[in-house]
Amino acid sequence: MIVSEIFRSLQGEGKNQGRPCTFIRLAGCNLRCAWCDTAYAWEGGQETSVIEVLDRVWLQNGKHICITGGEPLLQSGEVLELLKKFALHGYTVEIETNGTRDFREMQAFASICMDVKCPSSGERSDLTLLPFITPRDCVKFVVADEDDLLYARAVMSRYDIRGEVFISPVEGADYRAIADYIVKENLPVKFQLQLHKILGMK
């Protein structure tokens, strides 16, 4: 598998925000979101065997793993093999995905955080995947403005999303205006700032 980096930090977003976590960032992405903050992972990376990844994760200490990218499910075969190994060793795993690749095969071994792309990103997720989100998974809308909020609201109205839903402002957006909109419209979401950026962590 092609690995961009493996590092230890706090989970900055999603259901496990604030939890110590080992991140496995895989290289390669099929989207080019306008506000992407990990564009360095679009290409490059290092060829690394599943066993090598396991060894590097073990050295990091800790049993919670986040597999992210780029888009990690571009390497779905290797990811599935890795997930099965993690399950044997008692790790808990979440996968952060842009919602363009089928994740159902992974759900027996990991929770899913599906990032539904809003208009400001310039990209689109496959919304037909939303019915497969379970209560142990979550959905995230990264929003920049009211148009993005209206889009997120329309998606939530159309699909019965069974997992927890987060609204996360793009860095530099008007956080207060987004929070006020959520309160005014009583959206069934949690407002969430990216904790790792507030703390200046990776």
mmCIF file of all heavy atoms in Angstrom, residues 9-13 17 37 193-202:
data_model
loop_
_atom_site.group_PDB
_atom_site.id
_atom_site.type_symbol
_atom_site.label_atom_id
_atom_site.label_comp_id
_atom_site.label_asym_id
_atom_site.label_seq_id
_atom_site.Cartn_x
_atom_site.Cartn_y
_atom_site.Cartn_z
ATOM 1 N N SER A 9 -1.534 11.561 17.261
ATOM 2 C CA SER A 9 -2.074 12.872 17.586
ATOM 3 C C SER A 9 -3.387 12.681 18.335
ATOM 4 O O SER A 9 -3.713 11.569 18.762
ATOM 5 C CB SER A 9 -2.300 13.681 16.304
ATOM 6 O OG SER A 9 -2.675 15.008 16.594
ATOM 7 N N LEU A 10 -4.132 13.770 18.507
ATOM 8 C CA LEU A 10 -5.519 13.695 18.962
ATOM 9 C C LEU A 10 -6.419 13.677 17.736
ATOM 10 O O LEU A 10 -6.148 14.380 16.760
ATOM 11 C CB LEU A 10 -5.899 14.894 19.831
ATOM 12 C CG LEU A 10 -5.293 15.015 21.221
ATOM 13 C CD1 LEU A 10 -5.836 16.264 21.905
ATOM 14 C CD2 LEU A 10 -5.597 13.791 22.070
ATOM 15 N N GLN A 11 -7.484 12.885 17.800
ATOM 16 C CA GLN A 11 -8.478 12.942 16.728
ATOM 17 C C GLN A 11 -9.144 14.310 16.798
ATOM 18 O O GLN A 11 -9.683 14.709 17.832
ATOM 19 C CB GLN A 11 -9.499 11.831 16.893
ATOM 20 C CG GLN A 11 -10.637 11.845 15.889
ATOM 21 C CD GLN A 11 -10.191 11.822 14.443
ATOM 22 O OE1 GLN A 11 -9.932 12.880 13.874
ATOM 23 N NE2 GLN A 11 -10.092 10.641 13.857
ATOM 24 N N GLY A 12 -9.081 15.038 15.685
ATOM 25 C CA GLY A 12 -9.551 16.421 15.686
ATOM 26 C C GLY A 12 -11.004 16.607 15.351
ATOM 27 O O GLY A 12 -11.554 17.696 15.552
ATOM 28 N N GLU A 13 -11.678 15.554 14.852
ATOM 29 C CA GLU A 13 -13.063 15.713 14.410
ATOM 30 C C GLU A 13 -13.786 14.371 14.448
ATOM 31 O O GLU A 13 -13.183 13.330 14.690
ATOM 32 C CB GLU A 13 -13.088 16.316 13.005
ATOM 33 C CG GLU A 13 -12.214 15.595 12.011
ATOM 34 C CD GLU A 13 -11.872 16.436 10.787
ATOM 35 O OE1 GLU A 13 -12.609 17.379 10.473
ATOM 36 O OE2 GLU A 13 -10.851 16.142 10.146
ATOM 37 N N GLN A 17 -13.596 12.793 18.482
ATOM 38 C CA GLN A 17 -12.848 14.030 18.675
ATOM 39 C C GLN A 17 -12.245 14.078 20.075
ATOM 40 O O GLN A 17 -12.919 13.811 21.069
ATOM 41 C CB GLN A 17 -13.739 15.248 18.466
ATOM 42 C CG GLN A 17 -12.951 16.561 18.487
ATOM 43 C CD GLN A 17 -13.839 17.778 18.361
ATOM 44 O OE1 GLN A 17 -14.711 18.000 19.191
ATOM 45 N NE2 GLN A 17 -13.626 18.556 17.321
ATOM 46 N N ASP A 37 -6.918 20.377 3.033
ATOM 47 C CA ASP A 37 -5.769 20.766 3.853
ATOM 48 C C ASP A 37 -4.690 19.684 3.893
ATOM 49 O O ASP A 37 -3.743 19.777 4.669
ATOM 50 C CB ASP A 37 -6.203 21.153 5.271
ATOM 51 C CG ASP A 37 -6.971 20.050 5.982
ATOM 52 O OD1 ASP A 37 -7.106 18.944 5.412
ATOM 53 O OD2 ASP A 37 -7.435 20.288 7.116
ATOM 54 N N LEU A 193 -15.743 22.314 15.506
ATOM 55 C CA LEU A 193 -14.523 22.905 14.973
ATOM 56 C C LEU A 193 -13.423 21.857 14.983
ATOM 57 O O LEU A 193 -13.431 20.926 15.790
ATOM 58 C CB LEU A 193 -14.102 24.109 15.816
ATOM 59 C CG LEU A 193 -15.075 25.290 15.843
ATOM 60 C CD1 LEU A 193 -14.565 26.370 16.786
ATOM 61 C CD2 LEU A 193 -15.284 25.868 14.446
ATOM 62 N N GLN A 194 -12.454 22.002 14.105
ATOM 63 C CA GLN A 194 -11.364 21.035 14.003
ATOM 64 C C GLN A 194 -10.380 21.258 15.152
ATOM 65 O O GLN A 194 -9.572 22.183 15.137
ATOM 66 C CB GLN A 194 -10.678 21.164 12.644
ATOM 67 C CG GLN A 194 -11.573 20.765 11.479
ATOM 68 C CD GLN A 194 -10.893 20.972 10.145
ATOM 69 O OE1 GLN A 194 -10.515 22.090 9.804
ATOM 70 N NE2 GLN A 194 -10.722 19.907 9.395
ATOM 71 N N LEU A 195 -10.437 20.382 16.126
ATOM 72 C CA LEU A 195 -9.678 20.530 17.359
ATOM 73 C C LEU A 195 -8.178 20.562 17.107
ATOM 74 O O LEU A 195 -7.442 21.343 17.727
ATOM 75 C CB LEU A 195 -10.032 19.379 18.311
ATOM 76 C CG LEU A 195 -9.367 19.373 19.677
ATOM 77 C CD1 LEU A 195 -9.746 20.606 20.480
ATOM 78 C CD2 LEU A 195 -9.768 18.110 20.447
ATOM 79 N N HIS A 196 -7.692 19.742 16.203
ATOM 80 C CA HIS A 196 -6.247 19.679 15.966
ATOM 81 C C HIS A 196 -5.709 20.988 15.414
ATOM 82 O O HIS A 196 -4.570 21.369 15.695
ATOM 83 C CB HIS A 196 -5.911 18.506 15.023
ATOM 84 C CG HIS A 196 -6.615 18.524 13.717
ATOM 85 N ND1 HIS A 196 -7.974 18.361 13.613
ATOM 86 C CD2 HIS A 196 -6.158 18.703 12.446
ATOM 87 C CE1 HIS A 196 -8.314 18.410 12.344
ATOM 88 N NE2 HIS A 196 -7.239 18.627 11.618
ATOM 89 N N LYS A 197 -6.541 21.718 14.672
ATOM 90 C CA LYS A 197 -6.095 23.009 14.145
ATOM 91 C C LYS A 197 -6.083 24.072 15.238
ATOM 92 O O LYS A 197 -5.198 24.927 15.265
ATOM 93 C CB LYS A 197 -6.979 23.434 12.975
ATOM 94 C CG LYS A 197 -6.785 22.552 11.752
ATOM 95 C CD LYS A 197 -7.521 23.078 10.558
ATOM 96 C CE LYS A 197 -7.227 22.207 9.336
ATOM 97 N NZ LYS A 197 -7.958 22.665 8.141
ATOM 98 N N ILE A 198 -7.062 24.027 16.119
ATOM 99 C CA ILE A 198 -7.105 24.955 17.242
ATOM 100 C C ILE A 198 -5.857 24.778 18.111
ATOM 101 O O ILE A 198 -5.265 25.750 18.595
ATOM 102 C CB ILE A 198 -8.387 24.742 18.068
ATOM 103 C CG1 ILE A 198 -9.615 25.098 17.234
ATOM 104 C CG2 ILE A 198 -8.352 25.579 19.350
ATOM 105 C CD1 ILE A 198 -10.922 24.698 17.884
ATOM 106 N N LEU A 199 -5.447 23.527 18.293
ATOM 107 C CA LEU A 199 -4.300 23.214 19.146
ATOM 108 C C LEU A 199 -2.968 23.318 18.414
ATOM 109 O O LEU A 199 -1.908 23.201 19.033
ATOM 110 C CB LEU A 199 -4.452 21.810 19.728
ATOM 111 C CG LEU A 199 -5.655 21.585 20.645
ATOM 112 C CD1 LEU A 199 -5.759 20.117 21.026
ATOM 113 C CD2 LEU A 199 -5.521 22.451 21.908
ATOM 114 N N GLY A 200 -3.013 23.486 17.097
ATOM 115 C CA GLY A 200 -1.782 23.543 16.316
ATOM 116 C C GLY A 200 -1.100 22.192 16.188
ATOM 117 O O GLY A 200 0.135 22.104 16.095
ATOM 118 N N MET A 201 -1.912 21.120 16.177
ATOM 119 C CA MET A 201 -1.376 19.764 16.041
ATOM 120 C C MET A 201 -1.565 19.287 14.617
ATOM 121 O O MET A 201 -2.368 19.809 13.857
ATOM 122 C CB MET A 201 -2.083 18.828 17.028
ATOM 123 C CG MET A 201 -1.913 19.214 18.484
ATOM 124 S SD MET A 201 -2.841 18.150 19.617
ATOM 125 C CE MET A 201 -1.798 16.676 19.598
ATOM 126 N N LYS A 202 -0.846 18.231 14.265
ATOM 127 C CA LYS A 202 -0.983 17.607 12.936
ATOM 128 C C LYS A 202 -2.339 16.954 12.808
ATOM 129 O O LYS A 202 -2.863 16.420 13.745
ATOM 130 C CB LYS A 202 0.118 16.560 12.736
ATOM 131 C CG LYS A 202 0.158 16.007 11.320
ATOM 132 C CD LYS A 202 1.193 14.950 11.248
ATOM 133 C CE LYS A 202 2.366 15.251 10.392
ATOM 134 N NZ LYS A 202 2.290 16.005 9.203
#
